[in-house]
Amino acid sequence: MTGVRRNSCDVAVIGAGMAGMAAALFAVERGLSCIQIGSGGGILFASGLLDLLAVHPVAERCLWQSPYTALDALAGEQPDHPLARVAPVSIRAAFESFVTALASAGLAYAPLGERNRSVLTSIGTVKTTYGVPVTMVAGADALDGRARCLLVDFRGLREFSAHQIAATLADRWPELRHQRIDFPGFETVPELYAVHLARALETVETRERTIALIRPLVGDARAVGLPAVLGLERSREVHAAFEAGLGVPVFEIPTMPTSVPGLRLLGALEAAVSSHGVRRRHQASVRALTYDGNMETATLDLEGVPGGERVTARAVVLATGRFSGRGLAADRGYVRESILGLPVHQPASREAWHKRDFLDPSGHAINRAGLRVDDAWRPLDTDGKPAWPRLFAVGSILAHQDWMRSKCGSGLAIATAWAAVEQVAHRLGATAAG
Amino acid sequence: MNSPSLIQTQVLIIGGGVTGTALARDLALRGVDCILVEKDDINAGASGRNHGLLHSGARYVAGDREAAMECRAEGEILKRVAAQTIQDTGGYFVAVQGDDERYIADFPSYCARSGISARAVDVATARALEPAISERTIAVFEVPDAAIDPFRLSLESMAQASSLGARLMRRSRVVGFEREGRRIRAVRVLSLGGGTEVRIEAAQVVNASGAWAREVALLADAPIAMTYSKGTLLVTHTRLAHRVVNRLRRPGNADIMMPGGTVSIVGTTSTRVDTLDDVHPTTVEADLIVEEAARMLPTLATTRFIRAYAGVRPLLGSAGAADSRAVSRGFALFDHEDQGLDNLATITGGKLTTCRLMAERAADLVCRRLGVTRPCLTATTPLPVSPECEWTAPGHSAREWIRSHRPDDTLLCECEMVPGSAVDAIYAALRSAGDTPTLTDIGLRSRVGKGACQGGFCAVRTVAHLYQRGDFQARRGLGEILDFFGERWRGQHAVLWGEQLAQAELMEALHCGLFGEELRGAKPLADPTADAADAVSR
Ligand SMILES: Cc1cc2nc3c(=O)[nH]c(=O)nc-3n(C[C@H](O)[C@H](O)[C@H](O)COP(=O)(O)OP(=O)(O)OC[C@H]3O[C@@H](n4cnc5c(N)ncnc54)[C@H](O)[C@@H]3O)c2cc1C
Ligand SMILES: Cc1cc2nc3c(=O)[nH]c(=O)nc-3n(C[C@H](O)[C@H](O)[C@H](O)COP(=O)(O)OP(=O)(O)OC[C@H]3O[C@@H](n4cnc5c(N)ncnc54)[C@H](O)[C@@H]3O)c2cc1C
């Protein structure tokens, strides 16, 4: 076949969700050349909050203050859980590296400590998470101390009601007030979108007018909370201007997906991997993967690239996610892995996939389905051996975890990416092409 | 202890399905004062869990000629007097290779004998008009089937009855009867909201509680013989045919695909069940429907389903019959006089299609007993359109919103295009009836939660809207989101594969992964470092 582009690299990362981004980043940081294939994944839907581990055991709905103590408990009780198989020291290193890269791309996180933080959500629940963007951290502080606090929202931003949050928390946080204002320049627009507001606040004039509307409402409030619309790429600057203009700490509360923090996170990760030299194929997907005769390299057949492309890689990281990411696919009877048809650990029949009660404390069995891997993060074939010596799997596609219930989505992605890339580097050894 | 408060009326109707609401309207039009008590909400029973087929009668021509003729006559009446609730799509009866040739050959004469028009359609023409039907089709007949919106029918019937003085008590369950000689002196009703009990004294009591009629009659020591048959239905993501498509054979599983506005509804099954508790669709039934219906409509093998639901049919007659389809689906009116009661009647069985007639028969009995001589008016009096009842129709919301788009109106549901003004209208109507409306009540009266997200997004937006209007207070919203979404989930889990599984996963990522709704009331932090400040997270 002529005309098909050919490229090669040390490691091909399939997937551009949280896990794929982390893997690509860590790979180039270790000096491996990397091509990454895939589009945004679940990042766009995320909140900007980086969970590590908050709930364990899931069925008992136990919340943990320290993610590392929780990881200890997890390792003792569920040694199969992917997070239980990564050393805490690696998890710390992985998170540090991840947030450092984000900071260099303009998205700053509060220093990571030993403790989880509690933050407000837009429906008035309290979320336990780990990595908190600086634009949100004053909210965690205010919540801890239940400080006198003002929540402001904008008429027309449909899924965000400050009244709802304050009313829902009233019995536990009585000092939470709320106010609704018109967003300057959008007074006659019936439906506001967070992204448009975020863009608008990047202009000094709109920002000043908004601050001027809020200032008289602050009163004795020690902090002011807003829906997460404080700028897109320039969130630090917008946030700082609000704090200066209002004279109190200001914090954002993530809105319903697709939210501005999700967009920021996606934007920052894309910028970070690109600036690290990852070659991104963000419109493409992998149609097929084959190994060459002597099993030294893998060839990825891409679609969605004009004219097509073949990527030859010495190692492959599969970070294709679950059902919504497309890494797993289910028909009425069976769950398959989408690209290679790798065996998927799963319940015996569809009847066992889901509980009839959505909130059943033990969660839905289907969410623990996924790929099983060996100690080196290589997915196992039907014979229980690695499918290919240098094929690795990371992130939510892995079996034996339920990130949605454990609140460990980002942690799972970042930690397993780190651990798998360590193995990739080790196996490719000094021969990395650089 | 306070004695329960007392309410008096001429007729007490038990059950707010299509039969009970039609009866309330019928009596109200005759000038009879009545109260309808419903343990849950309008159409909470079979009336909200059926196929929505306004039967031409053709399905019953071979097995039950009487039912066929009843359907034909009633279908014609409803098309005249309740046109706003009906989409007169017409229907096909389709036979595929392997179906009983004898039945196919006899079908036109069976129909003729019941006065039902059945026109043979050339297979190629039929497939051009309805491309979803199989290329293995061997015969097609066109009959006057139609689609009916049972929610709108019941809501508008009740709305008219109310406007004439009838009272509706939702979330009010009949828990007992006080008998005195041959009469029921009072009916004890438990209000499920406040847990309070009221006594209702009525000259006549009508048990229109559908499949629950046996339980209710038993409370009055007036047993009736009844068995239950559960039927499951599946809802597709998009509409796959314009017309009703029936399998041309003796009634069996998964014979019918109904158009339901923007979707199609496929079913049903028929399984004997012993109790009315915990009726839900199963994965086995979903598979059976897909596999069987795909013989007539092959596209169903790969189509996306967004929901499943199950209802129970009361079957009157022999409990021993092997096939529940063979037991009569006609209706029965019991006067209970041979059981020593002169002021109780039970009307049950039948169909959505025949609910008006059932109400007429029950009302005739009640009026005779009351000495009321005014005739039934429902066969000729058009059912008035009630604006707050229009939102159940798929597509209506979108049209209405675009037509009257007010600058301050916003869309709360983007799949089904439900504007804030619709929610406001529904809320106000319930409020003016003295009720405290819930998100679930709004869902029943609108398309909120009916689209692909099954409430995942729109429930959250609607709750925010209700807080903003000051309708919701305190922590109520979260509980309502969970109730509503939980109910939607129960209808979803049996069809979660393919694309809908990915959608459901996204919704769980939102509600559990991000919002942590399942942690409501969760345990304290487990690790020793936990401190008092964390109490706020519960
Ligand atoms: C609604 C929502 C809320 C969330 N909230 C939080 C939160 O509060 N805190 C938190 O820490 N995390 C949150 N997350 C993010 C979550 O942590 C991650 O989405 C999750 O860990 C899954 O990440 P992943 O990278 O494994 O998979 P995905 O994000 O699903 O990514 C899979 C990737 O694989 C690609 N892919 C699949 N098949 C192919 C193919 N054949 N070829 C090429 N590419 C392919 C896809 O394009 C995609 O890029 C949230 C996510 C969602 C959806
Ligand atoms: C799967 C299925 C598909 C069907 N498809 C069709 C079709 O396509 N076309 C058609 O014409 N017919 C169809 N039917 C039949 C039709 O749905 C029913 O005949 C009709 O809805 C019965 O209405 P009803 O008002 O008599 O009973 P229901 O709708 O069951 O109403 C009874 C009401 O009584 C209430 N109640 C019960 N106990 C008490 C109590 N103690 N106190 C107060 N209230 C109480 C219940 O909550 C309920 O709302 C179908 C039925 C099923 C199950």
Side-chain angles (χ1 to χ4, degrees):
Chain A
M1 220 168 35
T2 56
V4 176
R5 261 204 297 168
R6 289 171 187 276
N7 278 296
S8 62
C9 59
D10 291 330
V11 51
V13 173
I14 313 179
M18 205 78 86
M21 289 292 191
L25 204 57
F26 298 151
V28 288
E29 281 178 350
R30 285 178 187 272
L32 302 168
S33 68
C34 175
I35 293 180
Q36 182 190 31
I37 306 107
S39 48
I43 298 173
L44 205 56
F45 289 93
S47 54
L49 298 163
L50 304 178
D51 299 353
L52 173 47
L53 178 63
V55 181
H56 169 79
V58 164
E60 286 165 37
R61 303 188 306 163
C62 277
L63 278 158
W64 292 72
Q65 178 78 71
S66 158
Y68 291 102
T69 320
L71 282 162
D72 263 357
L74 181 74
E77 289 154 35
Q78 286 173 39
D80 274 354
H81 193 291
L83 270 179
R85 299 169 67 170
V86 189
V89 50
S90 297
I91 297 180
R92 286 176 214 268
F95 263 87
E96 277 309 328
S97 182
F98 195 76
V99 296
T100 303
L102 285 173
S104 71
L107 184 59
Y109 278 75
L112 300 169
E114 289 300 307
R115 309 180 72 204
N116 279 324
R117 302 298 318 259
S118 300
V119 298
L120 292 182
T121 74
S122 60
I123 63 164
T125 53
V126 173
K127 177 176 172 64
T128 308
T129 188
Y130 183 59
V132 181
V134 291
T135 58
M136 299 184 193
V137 79
D141 295 339
L143 175 58
D144 281 348
R146 264 153 292 172
R148 210 162 287 146
C149 188
L150 169 70
L151 297 183
V152 176
D153 67 8
F154 304 107
R155 193 191 46 76
L157 193 60
R158 292 165 297 172
E159 59 261 4
F160 191 97
S161 162
H163 176 182
Q164 175 179 2
I165 300 172
T168 304
L169 286 160
D171 54 341
R172 289 152 297 160
W173 191 356
E175 306 262 35
L176 199 55
R177 282 191 290 124
H178 63 92
Q179 286 280 343
R180 169 157 290 200
I181 62 171
D182 278 324
F183 193 90
F186 288 67
E187 290 86 351
T188 60
V189 182
E191 275 152 32
L192 304 188
Y193 292 89
V195 187
H196 300 163
L197 306 191
R199 279 253 174 272
L201 287 176
E202 293 193 334
T203 66
V204 175
E205 199 220 323
T206 307
R207 185 189 306 165
E208 291 308 325
R209 283 173 65 195
T210 310
I211 293 169
L213 284 176
I214 299 174
R215 199 180 295 121
L217 309 174
V218 175
D220 60 358
R222 301 284 174 74
V224 171
L226 292 157
V229 297
L230 300 182
L232 271 169
E233 290 87 1
R234 286 151 56 198
S235 61
R236 286 214 78 171
E237 174 193 327
V238 179
H239 178 249
F242 268 77
E243 292 206 323
L246 296 176
V248 291
V250 170
F251 62 90
E252 293 183 308
I253 299 169
T255 60
M256 286 265 282
T258 315
S259 68
V260 167
L263 282 165
R264 283 182 201 143
L265 185 58
L266 181 59
L269 282 168
E270 285 173 344
V273 294
S274 298
S275 71
H276 278 66
V278 173
R279 283 171 280 165
R280 301 187 56 231
R281 303 286 186 265
H282 65 274
Q283 305 289 359
S285 64
V286 175
R287 178 176 31 209
L289 194 163
T290 47
Y291 311 113
D292 69 358
N294 52 12
M295 301 290 271
E296 282 303 310
T297 58
T299 299
L300 287 64
D301 210 338
L302 308 197
E303 59 187 358
V305 194
E309 182 173 349
R310 290 242 166 97
V311 171
T312 306
R314 300 167 62 220
V316 175
V317 175
L318 199 59
T320 46
R322 306 183 64 77
F323 301 102
S324 56
R326 302 276 174 268
L328 300 178
D331 59 21
R332 278 190 288 125
Y334 202 69
V335 181
R336 287 167 294 107
E337 185 279 315
S338 305
I339 300 179
L340 288 151
L342 295 168
V344 175
H345 170 74
Q346 58 187 291
S349 75
R350 195 169 94 245
E351 256 189 292
W353 287 4
H354 295 96
K355 294 277 170 45
R356 271 168 47 223
D357 179 5
F358 175 60
L359 295 184
D360 192 299
S362 51
H364 306 291
I366 190 79
N367 293 330
R368 294 180 177 275
L371 301 184
R372 296 162 101 145
V373 290
D374 72 356
D375 285 342
W377 304 94
R378 295 177 299 185
L380 303 177
D381 218 332
T382 34
D383 58 5
K385 303 225 175 66
W388 182 52
R390 286 178 307 286
L391 175 69
F392 304 83
V394 301
S396 62
I397 197 173
L398 297 173
H400 309 303
Q401 53 81 23
D402 182 348
W403 71 266
M404 298 184 278
R405 303 291 174 125
S406 306
K407 321 300 161 193
C408 70
S410 298
L412 174 73
I414 295 167
T416 58
W418 181 272
V421 169
E422 209 165 45
Q423 292 293 329
V424 175
H426 171 66
R427 265 146 231 273
L428 296 186
T431 59
Chain B
M1 206 181 90
N2 291 339
S3 59
S5 57
L6 178 71
I7 306 176
Q8 288 172 317
T9 182
Q10 269 182 295
V11 179
L12 174 69
I13 302 165
I14 304 167
V18 288
T19 310
T21 52
L23 178 58
R25 173 172 183 249
D26 189 319
L27 291 171
L29 284 168
R30 299 194 210 206
V32 176
D33 181 51
C34 60
I35 293 179
L36 189 156
V37 290
E38 162 56 53
K39 69 175 168 60
D40 204 327
D41 199 353
I42 297 294
N43 283 15
S47 300
R49 297 167 170 278
N50 58 65
H51 225 147
L53 169 56
L54 188 68
H55 283 282
S56 61
R59 182 167 168 81
Y60 305 110
V61 284
D64 191 344
R65 190 165 158 219
E66 199 185 331
M69 286 164 56
E70 234 165 53
C71 284
R72 193 210 66 213
E74 283 301 305
E76 286 168 3
I77 292 172
L78 288 181
K79 283 179 188 176
R80 277 199 310 273
V81 299
Q84 74 269 29
T85 67
I86 293 165
Q87 272 198 304
D88 203 352
T89 59
Y92 279 171
F93 270 75
V94 173
V96 297
Q97 282 165 27
D99 284 343
D100 178 1
E101 308 256 348
R102 180 73 194 277
Y103 189 81
I104 301 168
D106 290 344
F107 184 73
S109 61
Y110 285 150
C111 286
R113 160 181 101 161
S114 299
I116 297 163
S117 119
R119 187 177 62 85
V121 184
D122 159 65
V123 171
T125 310
R127 291 196 61 229
L129 293 171
E130 296 292 1
I133 65 181
S134 170
E135 56 180 25
R136 294 161 50 94
T137 297
I138 53 173
V140 180
F141 292 91
E142 183 165 33
V143 301
D145 282 342
I148 181 161
D149 176 351
F151 289 99
R152 184 151 184 197
L153 182 67
S154 291
L155 290 168
E156 282 185 338
S157 296
M158 196 63 227
Q160 188 183 22
S162 299
S163 74
L164 296 169
R167 282 167 284 173
L168 168 65
M169 293 167 60
R170 297 186 309 137
R171 289 195 266 275
S172 300
R173 177 201 291 269
V174 169
V175 291
F177 294 90
E178 293 172 17
R179 273 183 76 158
E180 193 176 67
R182 293 187 62 85
R183 297 189 66 76
I184 287 164
R185 190 183 40 187
V187 180
R188 290 194 292 116
V189 175
L190 184 68
S191 150
L192 301 181
T196 52
E197 203 172 293
V198 295
R199 292 173 71 244
I200 301 179
E201 285 182 3
Q204 290 290 325
V205 178
V206 183
N207 171 15
S209 58
W212 290 266
R214 183 171 82 182
E215 279 177 14
V216 170
L218 215 52
L219 292 174
D221 281 329
I224 50 183
M226 182 193 279
T227 54
Y228 310 128
S229 159
K230 170 190 169 199
T232 289
L233 294 154
L234 308 185
V235 183
T236 60
H237 182 47
T238 54
R239 180 162 165 175
L240 303 173
H242 306 287
R243 295 167 181 74
V244 179
V245 183
N246 301 268
R247 186 81 169 266
L248 177 49
R249 63 177 180 190
R250 278 175 201 280
N253 282 327
D255 276 347
I256 307 172
M257 184 168 83
M258 284 299 301
T262 51
V263 300
S264 291
I265 304 168
V266 193
T268 121
T269 52
S270 183
T271 321
R272 282 292 176 87
V273 288
D274 296 329
T275 121
L276 297 173
D277 303 329
D278 202 26
V279 168
H280 64 275
T282 65
T283 52
V284 173
E285 289 163 338
D287 286 347
L288 186 143
I289 292 172
V290 172
E291 280 155 26
E292 186 56 39
R295 289 184 221 276
M296 172 170 74
L297 300 151
T299 177
L300 290 174
T302 49
T303 208
R304 171 176 174 186
F305 293 90
I306 60 171
R307 184 168 179 73
Y309 57 92
V312 176
R313 317 168 180 97
L315 299 175
L316 301 154
S318 138
D323 174 8
S324 36
R325 279 202 177 79
V327 180
S328 168
R329 298 214 174 164
F331 66 82
L333 174 64
F334 299 92
D335 61 19
H336 297 292
E337 284 165 20
D338 56 351
Q339 292 166 317
L341 278 168
D342 291 334
N343 69 339
L344 176 69
T346 294
I347 179 82
T348 184
K351 293 176 193 64
L352 164 57
T353 309
T354 57
C355 66
R356 193 212 60 84
L357 180 63
M358 293 165 69
E360 176 176 344
R361 294 283 162 75
D364 283 348
L365 171 63
V366 163
C367 286
R368 200 166 59 241
R369 285 172 167 179
L370 290 171
V372 173
T373 53
R374 266 163 302 225
C376 173
L377 295 173
T378 57
T380 50
T381 312
L383 178 66
V385 169
S386 303
E388 79 277 8
C389 304
E390 287 178 322
W391 301 102
T392 57
H396 171 81
S397 305
R399 277 197 307 279
E400 186 60 26
W401 189 75
I402 289 158
R403 199 171 64 214
S404 70
H405 190 38
R406 300 196 321 251
D408 57 341
D409 206 355
T410 64
L411 270 187
L412 296 179
C413 166
E414 284 176 349
C415 318
E416 298 286 322
M417 304 273 275
V418 184
S421 55
V423 170
D424 298 348
I426 292 165
Y427 198 94
L430 286 167
R431 217 44 219 145
S432 70
D435 265 325
T436 313
T438 65
L439 182 60
T440 304
D441 295 342
I442 291 166
L444 186 128
R445 290 162 177 78
S446 71
R447 301 290 300 166
V448 168
K450 309 288 198 306
C453 86
Q454 288 288 296
F457 285 116
C458 52
V460 176
R461 283 207 198 99
T462 304
V463 163
H465 178 79
L466 291 169
Y467 268 106
Q468 214 47 53
R469 284 171 34 100
D471 293 330
F472 275 15
Q473 304 294 338
R475 308 183 69 175
R476 201 174 142 200
L478 181 56
E480 301 244 340
I481 291 173
L482 292 179
D483 285 351
F484 183 71
F485 196 64
E487 187 277 323
R488 294 273 102 190
W489 178 265
R490 274 189 287 283
Q492 230 196 335
H493 81 280
V495 293
L496 292 181
W497 66 84
E499 197 52 41
Q500 195 61 19
L501 177 57
Q503 173 79 29
E505 186 186 68
L506 200 57
M507 288 304 118
E508 194 179 350
L510 173 66
H511 287 272
C512 296
L514 177 54
F515 292 146
E517 290 167 20
E518 83 284 11
L519 296 173
R520 191 170 59 151
K523 279 193 185 177
L525 298 180
D527 48 332
T529 53
D531 61 32
D534 306 313
V536 80
S537 55
R538 262 87 48 211

